[in-house]
Amino acid sequence: MNLYDLINKSGMGLTDNLNDGWKDVEILGITDDSRKVKSGFLFVAIKGLEHNGHDYISKALETGAVAVIYESGSKVPEGKYVAIESSNNRR
């Protein structure tokens, strides 16, 4: 599924955050666990009780993530990938 359709169907209202050039990026899987990221995945960074997924964004990108949804106010690394800011990643 392409990134635009995936985000649109999620109901998160984040499609306005996508640049036109990235809307057709094909997403092959989704995970919030950086250890499970494969090439073409969307990584959802979530702040948990014990771990902060934002600390693992770089690892997810190195492993093949093409897009990241991160929580507002969090720092994300520079790079060539889609970074989508969200006010609530648990939705």
Side-chain angles (χ1 to χ4, degrees):
M1 179 176 286
N2 72 40
L3 184 59
Y4 179 84
D5 289 341
L6 180 69
I7 298 299
N8 193 37
K9 289 179 182 182
S10 75
M12 293 178 72
L14 301 175
T15 53
D16 291 341
N17 295 355
L18 292 175
N19 295 329
D20 287 335
W22 290 101
K23 289 182 179 180
D24 292 328
V25 169
E26 193 68 22
I27 300 297
L28 304 177
I30 304 168
T31 186
D32 63 354
D33 186 337
S34 63
R35 297 168 295 185
K36 296 181 179 178
V37 171
K38 296 179 183 173
S39 182
F41 270 45
L42 166 65
F43 177 67
V44 182
I46 297 174
K47 292 179 185 174
L49 295 175
E50 294 184 27
H51 300 283
N52 183 343
H54 297 83
D55 295 337
Y56 300 96
I57 291 175
S58 292
K59 180 181 177 188
L61 294 169
E62 290 170 8
T63 311
V66 294
V68 172
I69 296 179
Y70 67 96
E71 293 180 11
S72 299
S74 299
K75 293 182 180 180
V76 294
E78 297 283 328
K80 188 175 180 177
Y81 66 98
V82 183
I84 304 166
E85 184 175 1
S86 169
S87 61
N88 183 0
N89 284 1
R90 295 187 182 272
R91 280 182 47 190

